[in-house]
Amino acid sequence: ARRAAVALIILEGLAVVVMISLAVAVIWRVLHGHGPQGVPPLIDLFIPTRGLTPASIALALSFGFLSFAGFEEVATMAEEVRSPTFTIPRVLLGTVIGGGVVYTLVTTAQVLGFGTDQAGMERFAASHSLLGDLGGIYFGKWCGDLLDILATFSALGCGLASVLGASRVLFAMMRELAPTSRLARLSAGGSSPVIASLCVIVAIIAGYAAMRLVFHGSGSDPFFWASTIGVLALLGAYFLVVLSAGISVFRDSLSKKRWMILIPAIAAAVIGYTLWVNIYPLQRGAYGIIPFIVLGWCLLPVLWMAIPPKSK
């Protein structure tokens, strides 16, 4: 786990430093009149575009949820931290705050860098590598290529983080359900669930192969299909979290805290509406089937809990 953490810090840390540097440089150039619109259109960052509907905002929120996805994975490392009750909450809070600052800065650079007018937004929407294209526009092709390479490293880091989190969850589940299983064992050194990690990697490869061979997806289709599954599953998980938080507050015997139920209620309404906009109306092809896959996956633990335990 320590080696994986070091690899993550190196991969993601380098990418984040370069990404922030590029964002600051682009904003600086735009503020000095070198942007696509000449005069910096800062006010456009705070004024919604005409005709913007709540559904459009909800779809944009999906991008926001996906951007923050994964911050909660640090909780899966609690058993490998010396002082989890002290470290984990602070890391979670720091990740959310730090991620919010970084994403706000980078998104500002992207919007100003491409331009806030209609032509700029069309270029923004058509870009397959926002930071890579920005680097190429403002600092030359070499910068765009460098950002694309770092984006690849960052993607590898995200994959490694996903394997770390999923393997710990699988290990914890099997430790409760089947303590004698090899999936419930740690490595020889007693630090990492190696077998669980290998199972997660095999499942990832099998899923990618199935999407390519069985469903005849292109090279990029598995990425977008998996991302859609991830976004919908995250929205469902976050909805259940805020719902349980609201129930907990409602059951609190201290009446002075009852007003706090407004916080999870508002969050549940926003997440629920965002989830609905992403599902309805159903799309054609794979994107019309994905919501039902996510629904079935989310119902599995409910069905499992509904099965009465066998009497000994």
Side-chain angles (χ1 to χ4, degrees):
R2 182 172 298 178
R3 293 179 180 177
V6 172
L8 278 174
I9 292 173
I10 294 175
L11 290 174
E12 293 290 352
L14 180 61
V16 169
V17 169
V18 175
M19 180 173 60
I20 293 176
S21 301
L22 174 67
V24 172
V26 169
I27 293 174
W28 184 87
R29 294 204 63 180
V30 171
L31 293 178
H32 285 77
H34 299 288
Q37 296 170 268
V39 179
L42 297 180
I43 194 171
D44 291 343
L45 297 174
F46 306 97
I47 299 179
T49 305
R50 290 182 179 179
L52 190 65
T53 63
S56 300
I57 297 176
L59 288 174
L61 281 175
S62 303
F63 169 77
F65 283 118
L66 184 60
S67 298
F68 280 91
F71 76 92
E72 68 280 355
E73 280 197 15
V74 68
T76 64
M77 307 293 292
E79 294 187 7
E80 300 171 64
V81 178
R82 292 181 180 178
S83 302
T85 56
F86 176 85
T87 304
I88 298 299
R90 286 162 176 78
V91 173
L92 283 171
L93 183 61
T95 302
V96 173
I97 295 175
V101 172
V102 170
Y103 280 119
T104 301
L105 176 66
V106 173
T107 304
T108 299
Q110 291 171 347
V111 173
L112 293 178
F114 282 99
T116 59
D117 55 3
Q118 183 176 354
M121 289 295 96
E122 290 177 355
R123 290 193 298 268
F124 182 97
S127 175
H128 295 286
S129 176
L130 291 171
L131 291 178
D133 290 344
L134 273 183
I137 292 171
Y138 286 91
F139 303 103
K141 186 176 182 298
W142 68 269
C143 186
D145 293 339
L146 175 62
L147 265 297
D148 289 337
I149 293 173
L150 290 175
T152 303
F153 288 157
S154 181
L156 290 174
C158 290
L160 180 58
S162 299
V163 171
L164 280 174
S167 62
R168 268 64 183 176
V169 172
L170 178 60
F171 165 75
M173 291 175 60
M174 296 307 298
R175 187 174 56 185
E176 294 296 326
L177 298 175
T180 59
S181 171
R182 297 186 65 183
L183 291 172
R185 299 178 186 176
L186 295 174
S187 61
S191 60
S192 301
V194 176
I195 303 299
S197 300
L198 291 176
C199 286
V200 171
I201 294 174
V202 170
I204 293 172
I205 296 174
Y208 179 81
M211 285 186 278
R212 288 296 305 273
L213 301 177
V214 179
F215 299 101
H216 307 290
S218 64
S220 59
D221 281 339
F223 171 80
F224 291 107
W225 292 346
S227 298
T228 304
I229 292 174
V231 169
L232 295 180
L234 280 170
L235 288 173
Y238 292 160
F239 180 81
L240 293 177
V241 168
V242 296
L243 184 63
S244 61
I247 294 174
S248 177
V249 173
F250 184 76
R251 290 179 176 177
D252 196 331
S253 58
L254 299 177
S255 59
K256 293 182 179 179
K257 293 185 177 181
R258 289 288 177 87
W259 65 269
M260 294 180 64
I261 198 173
L262 289 174
I263 299 175
I266 294 173
V270 173
I271 295 174
Y273 181 70
T274 303
L275 186 60
W276 173 256
V277 169
N278 278 272
I279 294 176
Y280 185 83
L282 289 176
Q283 301 183 41
R284 295 181 179 179
Y287 293 101
I289 302 174
I290 285 175
F292 296 100
I293 296 176
V294 175
L295 178 62
W297 179 257
C298 293
L299 287 177
L300 277 179
V302 178
L303 297 176
W304 178 269
M305 294 298 295
I307 299 175
K310 295 181 179 180
S311 58
K312 296 182 180 180

